Amino acid sequence: SAVDNRIEALFGRADVYYDLNRFKEALADHDEVLRLKPEDPEAHRARGNCLRMLGNKNGALASVNKAIALAPAKTNYLAARADIYFSFGDWEKAAADYATYLAAHPTAWLGHQRRGVCLHNLNDLRGAISAYERTIELNPRSLTACNNLAWIRATSPDAGISSERRVWKEC
């Protein structure tokens, strides 16, 4: 239908705007999709990402939570919500959402890496180490995981952690 074609075009243009860091324009296109199809969970999720990039935590959470309510089986929406919490330093909530998301997507290396950052910030160094090691297993080119793992090992006052010298040839 003409409406479906319009929605598809709006999503496409919003993706381009988002990639160009033109988040207000992307947001406007997602708002138009929602005007045409108010219960579109993907538009709510994408709108939440735009609002996150614009610094609007509450709006971003409201949009992504609406997407989750509309499509609870879409576990990638949990990753979107975790990313919002992550962006605003809400480490406990981000870690919990990443854990739930990773239970459904155990090979999502970026989720493991970001969960590692959350756990690191929560002073769960062993949990962070485990998450970083899993990241490196899945993506040996993750410089962030390699760096953060090395940092924990080099600076931890816990002799058990600082004495572990597992060498990652990938790093």
Side-chain angles (χ1 to χ4, degrees):
S1 77
V3 170
D4 290 335
N5 290 340
R6 176 78 177 135
I7 288 172
E8 186 177 340
L10 287 164
F11 268 121
R13 186 173 68 183
D15 286 346
V16 171
Y17 283 146
Y18 190 92
D19 289 346
L20 294 172
N21 297 325
R22 293 171 58 182
F23 305 115
K24 287 181 183 177
E25 290 96 333
L27 179 62
D29 281 349
H30 293 306
D31 285 343
E32 179 62 12
V33 168
L34 290 169
R35 188 187 69 73
L36 297 169
K37 191 176 176 185
E39 300 300 305
D40 187 309
E42 188 56 24
H44 284 286
R45 188 229 23 103
R47 183 177 191 279
N49 282 345
C50 291
L51 289 168
R52 172 178 59 92
M53 298 306 291
L54 291 168
N56 183 342
K57 178 183 177 183
N58 292 334
L61 286 171
S63 290
V64 170
N65 284 333
K66 178 71 173 182
I68 292 168
L70 290 169
K74 298 259 318 194
T75 54
N76 64 317
Y77 295 162
L78 288 173
R81 187 172 66 190
D83 289 345
I84 294 166
Y85 289 134
F86 184 93
S87 293
F88 292 95
D90 195 339
W91 307 121
E92 286 184 37
K93 289 179 180 176
D97 274 354
Y98 285 130
T100 304
Y101 169 73
L102 290 166
H105 304 276
T107 60
W109 69 269
L110 187 57
H112 287 284
Q113 178 175 289
R114 289 185 177 165
R115 185 165 183 271
V117 171
C118 295
L119 296 173
H120 193 169
N121 279 290
L122 292 168
N123 280 326
D124 178 356
L125 299 184
R126 294 205 181 273
I129 288 169
S130 178
Y132 293 142
E133 287 178 343
R134 181 68 175 136
T135 301
I136 296 164
E137 289 171 8
L138 295 168
N139 179 11
R141 296 185 187 271
S142 173
L143 298 179
T144 299
C146 290
N147 181 70
N148 291 356
L149 181 58
W151 182 261
I152 290 172
R153 296 228 190 271
T155 63
S156 176
D158 181 332
I161 290 175
S162 61
S163 66
E164 293 174 17
R165 296 291 181 220
R166 181 173 179 186
V167 176
W168 290 93
K169 66 180 181 209
E170 296 87 350
C171 295

